[in-house]
């Protein structure tokens, strides 16, 4: 055991690897051990769910193609008992895989084969972002409501704080809360990060590639490759975000698609858009 592993292990808690391919399982276990986790591994979905139930892990890596039940079903069962971070590993790079994984509650996904360093970077980035919403009912936030701006401004930064406002929409980066017309929005981690980025960009167009970077996190050390699947995932997140923003009857469409490029925030009525 290396000194690094020994020094870090008490901090990280446990991780569960659900993977039937022995070679890949060994690689993933090694990556997680090196990251300081106490690692358990299982080769089937049923055993995997059971070990998650027993160990309440921080992180689960989940293979999509398992011998007994498929990874999506395993994910649904895990989501009934745990709000752990789940990264899905798939040998299939097709779109359905990605969409289904994210919609079923995965936090991230990685297509095989991958470099151990890439898996580590994904996990580190994932752990640095607090969870906003899980399938379990969220704990009601005890943070005070941000002070409203004197006049609504396009993504106005209120003083020095991390509070951004756009009409009825108020987003507090520190507290990780978003409100629309005083109603709390239940956003996933990715949705929150994307909405924050669009607000911060002040109506300027954000490309899909840039938004992939936002979802991956700032400390996504140098993995700049953006796949079609990554871009599709952004479309799914934005679609979910739009749905949540428009479920409030008072809100106009806040996000607009710039065809072939990306997305931007719609300027408030009477305001000039940023060129
Ligand atoms: Ca497999």
């Amino acid at each position: 055991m290396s000194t690094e592993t020994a020094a870090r292990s008490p901090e990280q808690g446990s991780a569960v690897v659900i993977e039937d391919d022995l070679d890949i399982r060994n690689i993933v276990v090694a990556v997680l051990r090196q990251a300081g986790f106490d690692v358990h591994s299982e080769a089937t979905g049923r055993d995997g769910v059971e070990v998650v139930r027993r160990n309440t892990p921080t992180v689960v890596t989940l293979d999509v193609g398992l011998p007994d039940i498929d990874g999506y079903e395993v994910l649904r069962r895990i989501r009934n008992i745990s709000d752990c971070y789940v990264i899905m590993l798939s040998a299939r790079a097709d779109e359905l895989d990605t969409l289904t994984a994210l919609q079923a509650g995965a936090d991230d996904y990685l297509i095989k084969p991958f470099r151990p360093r890439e898996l580590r970077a994904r996990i580190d980035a994932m752990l640095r972002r607090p969870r906003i919403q899980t399938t379990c009912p969220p704990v009601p936030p005890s943070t005070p409501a941000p002070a409203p701006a004197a006049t609504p401004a396009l993504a106005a930064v209120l003083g020095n704080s991390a509070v951004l406002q756009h009409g009825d929409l108020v987003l507090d980066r520190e507290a990780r809360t978003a409100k629309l017309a005083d109603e709390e929005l239940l956003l996933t981690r990715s949705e929150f990060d994307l909405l924050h980025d669009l607000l911060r960009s002040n109506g300027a167009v954000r490309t899909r590639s840039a938004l992939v970077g936002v979802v991956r996190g700032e400390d996504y050390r140098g993995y700049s490759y953006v796949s079609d699947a990554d871009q599709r995932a952004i479309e799914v997140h934005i679609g979910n975000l739009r749905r949540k923003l428009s479920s409030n009857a008072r809100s106009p469409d806040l996000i607009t698609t710039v065809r072939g490029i990306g997305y931007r925030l719609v300027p408030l009525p009477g305001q000039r858009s940023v060129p």
Side-chain angles (χ1 to χ4, degrees), residues 2-19:
S2 74
T3 358
E4 188 197 15
T5 307
R8 297 189 55 166
S9 54
E11 312 267 317
Q12 298 281 36
S14 72
V16 172
V17 176
I18 307 173
E19 170 68 63

Side-chain angles (χ1 to χ4, degrees), residues 179-225:
K179 285 186 178 179
L180 189 62
D182 284 331
E183 269 177 59
E184 180 94 31
L185 293 168
L186 295 177
L187 304 180
T188 66
R189 168 183 55 75
S190 299
E191 289 160 7
F192 184 92
D193 289 342
L194 290 171
L195 185 57
H196 177 257
D197 186 78
L198 289 169
L199 277 165
R200 199 174 53 173
S201 301
N202 226 20
V205 180
R206 297 291 284 151
T207 64
R208 282 192 207 85
S209 304
L211 294 174
V212 169
V214 168
V215 167
R216 285 175 177 175
E218 285 164 7
D219 45 11
Y220 194 78
R221 302 167 194 153
Y223 291 104
S224 53
Y225 174 71

Side-chain angles (χ1 to χ4, degrees), residues 80 125 257 260:
N80 286 332
T257 305

Side-chain angles (χ1 to χ4, degrees), residues 45-84:
R46 284 194 186 85
D47 290 344
V49 172
E50 203 39 51
V51 86
V52 168
R53 190 193 305 279
R54 283 201 308 271
N55 290 285
T56 57
T58 308
V59 172
V60 171
T61 76
L62 177 56
D63 179 29
V64 171
L66 291 164
D68 54 342
I69 43 178
D70 81 20
Y72 304 113
E73 177 57 25
V74 175
L75 178 59
R76 278 185 280 274
R77 294 185 191 186
I78 287 175
R79 281 287 171 248
N80 286 332
I81 55 172
S82 172
D83 62 355
C84 57

Side-chain angles (χ1 to χ4, degrees), residues 145-167:
T151 49
L154 177 62
V157 180
L158 305 181
N160 250 351
S161 76
V163 177
L164 296 169
Q165 180 163 14
H166 181 70

